[in-house]
Amino acid sequence: MMWFNKLVAAMLPLMPKNLVWIFSKRYIAGTKLSQAVSISQKLNSDGYMVTIDLLGEFIEDLSEATKNKDEYLSIIDTIQKNGVEGNYSLKPTMFGLLLDKEVAYENIREIVKKAVGYNNFVRIDMEDSSCVDMEIEIFRKLKKEFPNHVGLVMQAYMRRSMSDFKAMMDMHSEKAPLNFRLCKGIYVEPASIAYKDYEEINEHYLEDLEFLLKNGIYVGIATHDTPLIEGAYKLLEKYKVPKDKYEFQMLYGVTPALRKSIIEKGHRLRVYVPFGKDWFAYSTRRLKENPKMAAEIMKALFVRG
């Protein structure tokens, strides 16, 4: 069935948006900021923190970078005025990383500075392997200037991740600890640089998590995988990690029952809330990166009852 999944994923951009939306709307908090605010407030009332992400990535013109930066600045003002308990996530390629690294850095710096004005926090997403070194470099520069207001995403399936963690320990201190979101990783990468086997990825995820927790690094434990969550519970107990030194993280619309069970156990959890007019490109790109999801598309479009 893999060939069929790949075929469906390749054809998805040609499908009418209203059909693709049937699948996508469960995982995207709307196209407008007002919708993201409403959903975030509901999540807050249910006991969850949020991180807001304006959809968009891999732009082709620097004029888009400026527009995206200005929109993020406005988003921060609106989120803060509405009293949402949450922070912000962004993808550097949305601000021109692959076009002009310095322009991207200045755009992101302005966004972080805006968030700092509200005593808030910005998470820099990790993208595909072509971006890793540049995104670590940007993180280093921003953490030096804003030591407690910026974090980075790291991907456990990348073979280099443990060495990257160790290389960044020079930025870690008790007063300004490193802050990472640890996820498995979604981008399709060659086996030479990324683990492929499910069990192998999980093994390295828990190895990475143990390294972070035992070194007092703040971790966003980002997973919907029950074995990893159970493994995280054991590590949190092993190292007696205070509840304010970590959080679980999950995507909006994914495994809500599991999400609820985590906070019922007394752990904090943050929900990733993506929104924006670029939801279609986001959805189709993710499906191309993960053709197995094509089966879910077909089910969402054609199965009823």
Side-chain angles (χ1 to χ4, degrees):
M1 288 294 290
M2 180 57 70
W3 67 269
F4 177 73
N5 292 346
K6 289 183 177 180
L7 177 62
V8 173
M11 292 176 60
L12 201 63
L14 305 177
M15 294 183 182
K17 282 189 176 183
N18 61 334
L19 290 181
V20 180
W21 181 247
I22 294 173
F23 169 79
S24 301
K25 64 182 180 180
R26 176 181 173 185
Y27 308 102
I28 295 171
T31 59
K32 300 177 181 178
L33 177 57
S34 59
Q35 295 169 306
V37 168
S38 178
I39 286 172
S40 295
Q41 290 173 330
K42 176 62 167 62
L43 287 165
N44 285 168
S45 69
D46 289 339
Y48 305 104
M49 304 174 290
V50 300
T51 186
I52 305 294
D53 188 5
L54 175 65
L55 291 172
E57 54 195 289
F58 296 105
I59 62 169
E60 297 179 351
D61 190 286
L62 285 177
S63 64
E64 297 177 71
T66 301
K67 182 179 178 182
N68 291 336
K69 177 202 68 177
D70 291 342
E71 188 166 359
Y72 252 96
L73 297 176
S74 178
I75 287 167
I76 292 173
D77 281 332
T78 300
I79 291 295
Q80 300 297 150
K81 288 175 182 176
N82 280 275
V84 172
E85 183 183 0
N87 57 35
Y88 308 94
S89 295
L90 58 80
K91 291 179 172 58
T93 59
M94 189 180 188
F95 303 97
L97 182 68
L98 298 182
L99 302 176
D100 188 318
K101 183 174 64 175
E102 290 306 313
V103 168
Y105 167 73
E106 291 298 334
N107 283 330
I108 295 168
R109 180 188 176 277
E110 193 170 340
I111 293 167
V112 175
K113 186 176 180 180
K114 180 77 166 183
V116 170
Y118 288 105
N119 194 30
N120 212 314
F121 178 93
V122 175
R123 176 82 60 191
I124 300 170
D125 281 332
M126 187 64 74
E127 299 174 270
D128 68 22
S129 57
S130 69
C131 302
V132 173
D133 286 326
M134 291 185 288
E135 288 169 346
I136 290 176
E137 180 184 348
I138 285 174
F139 171 62
R140 277 189 167 277
K141 292 170 70 175
L142 291 170
K143 182 161 176 57
K144 184 176 181 180
E145 184 175 3
F146 309 106
N148 289 298
H149 298 275
V150 64
L152 183 67
V153 176
M154 292 292 289
Q155 301 173 114
Y157 80 150
M158 295 295 288
R159 295 180 183 273
R160 61 178 286 175
S161 289
M162 180 61 79
S163 62
D164 284 334
F165 284 131
K166 292 178 179 178
M168 287 187 277
M169 285 299 292
D170 64 297
M171 294 186 285
H172 181 60
S173 69
E174 187 175 346
K175 289 185 177 180
L178 284 165
N179 188 315
F180 295 116
R181 174 194 298 155
L182 180 63
C183 65
K184 284 189 177 184
I186 189 174
Y187 297 94
V188 176
E189 302 285 3
S192 59
I193 64 171
Y195 301 110
K196 295 293 186 179
D197 178 72
Y198 169 82
E199 295 296 340
E200 192 174 29
I201 293 171
N202 279 11
E203 177 185 347
H204 285 277
Y205 186 103
L206 292 175
E207 285 181 3
D208 290 345
L209 181 59
E210 181 163 19
F211 175 83
L212 299 174
L213 293 176
K214 75 180 181 181
N215 282 288
I217 295 168
Y218 189 98
V219 192
I221 306 168
T223 182
H224 306 91
D225 193 332
T226 299
L228 290 183
I229 292 170
E230 294 296 334
Y233 289 159
K234 292 177 182 177
L235 290 172
L236 292 168
E237 175 61 27
K238 178 179 179 179
Y239 293 103
K240 307 298 181 186
V241 184
K243 284 186 165 56
D244 63 347
K245 300 300 183 184
Y246 70 92
E247 62 190 54
F248 285 88
Q249 296 185 357
M250 290 188 169
L251 300 172
Y252 175 67
V254 180
T255 59
L258 181 58
R259 183 176 75 198
K260 184 178 180 182
S261 73
I262 291 173
I263 63 167
E264 287 177 345
K265 288 181 171 66
H267 304 283
R268 298 182 306 148
L269 191 146
R270 188 179 306 275
V271 178
Y272 171 81
V273 180
F275 81 98
K277 60 181 176 57
D278 288 336
W279 67 266
F280 184 76
Y282 171 87
S283 299
T284 55
R285 186 177 296 112
R286 288 297 176 269
L287 287 161
K288 284 183 178 180
E289 290 163 356
N290 187 1
K292 291 180 182 179
M293 291 177 67
E296 293 188 43
I297 285 284
M298 299 305 292
K299 181 179 179 181
L301 294 180
F302 299 113
V303 176
R304 297 291 183 267

